[in-house]
Amino acid sequence: MSSASRFRFAAPLTAPVLVLVLAVAACDAGPAGPTPTPPVVTSPGPSGSASPTATPVAPTPTIPTPGSGGDRPDFAAARVSVETVAAGFTSPLVVTSVADGSGRLFVAEQGGRIRIVRDGLVLAEPFLDISDRVTSGGERGLLGLAFPPGYGDGWPQLYVHYSDADGDTAVSGFRVASGDADTVDPDTEWPVLREPQPYANHNGGWIGFDTDGMLLIALGDGGAGGDPENRASDPDNLLGKMLRVDVLGADAGGEPYLVPADNPFAAGGGRPEILHSGLRNPFRSSIDLETGDLWIGDVGQGSWEEVDVARAGSAGLDFGWRRWEGRHCYNPAEGCDPAGVTQPVAEYDHGLGCSVIGGVVYRGDAIPELRGAYLFSDYCSGTLWAIDSTSDEPQEPVVLLETGRRISSFGIGEDGEVYLTDLGGGELLRLVPAG
């Protein structure tokens, strides 16, 4: 592997934290947080900035969506519900776990704290509190959390993705306190990546490790309406991309990360950190640890939400933004030739929601009818959908449940079951068979 040049780091800064709820609504002029009913979709425009808006164009042509097909699993036969595991969180955005036998669940709150849930109880002291350096509110805050493979067995560290005091993207590592597995010292922070954000929205936010132990970092297009500077398609710009870097191999070398030799631009032609391009706002993604596939929920502009998949080992995929929104031409002036574009495996329009929340592939035991289903939701409607994770053909999502919640993330517990966060209700939920 070739070594990456050191990134330009911003000095640590602090600022008052604005404890506001997340607005990942696809419409750029929507409300700043959850409301009793889904927000009205308005004309695309920036949220939280005075930047210029882009004028959307007629969404033609359209790539047709075939029917579900008779040979696909009957996920609709599954009867599911959600139950509350723990409550009292402030704007929870992430839930995840570690395979260390503790059974702990980790819930990241938008304002900058990570809480531990053990046996249904929320520990009084935060696992990590960096609220003094996080800008929170709207689409900013503590947005991502990832533990490396082998965590607790030679890798007592974790990584977070947050909006810093200037509102820019910060990805950092932290080290767990010696002798105390439930505490992280915030002073152990070391920067991995700092990326300026031109606007307040479309920060992306997800981070996670692939099956090769590389850290994936999802960045949105930087905001405003319609990606006015066309950052998502620019190979020399990290925004609107899925990045892939080696942070574990870099620990002893003094560099924040190395560039994996099999990245598509490792030898030139673009930023070497880039794995995939053409993303608008990949707020929530996941790795299926059984297959290595990368699943991406990419928040749409004004009409369509989409789910993308990059099969294990794939690199250099173009998911089409700002030319395509879902399977629909968004900007004919750019040319909407589908050749070379990886179209979504699922989409839905804004009659069904406003902001896709990418989920996980179900591999648990509690609901055998769902094994192999990719589960995802929508922030505004709370609908829980399923599609066949083995198919590359476009699918009509199967409705499993109307949760009535403001779903903000999915995670898998050490027990293999699926957990969700309800941003509006401040709760940690578990997916269970319906009684």
Side-chain angles (χ1 to χ4, degrees), residues 42 109 161 218 232 249 286 294 317:
T42 59
E109 298 175 324
H161 181 159
S286 67
L294 168 63
L317 300 183

Side-chain angles (χ1 to χ4, degrees), residues 213-228:
M214 302 296 113
L215 180 66
L216 305 185
I217 303 169
L219 294 182
D221 66 14
D227 191 7

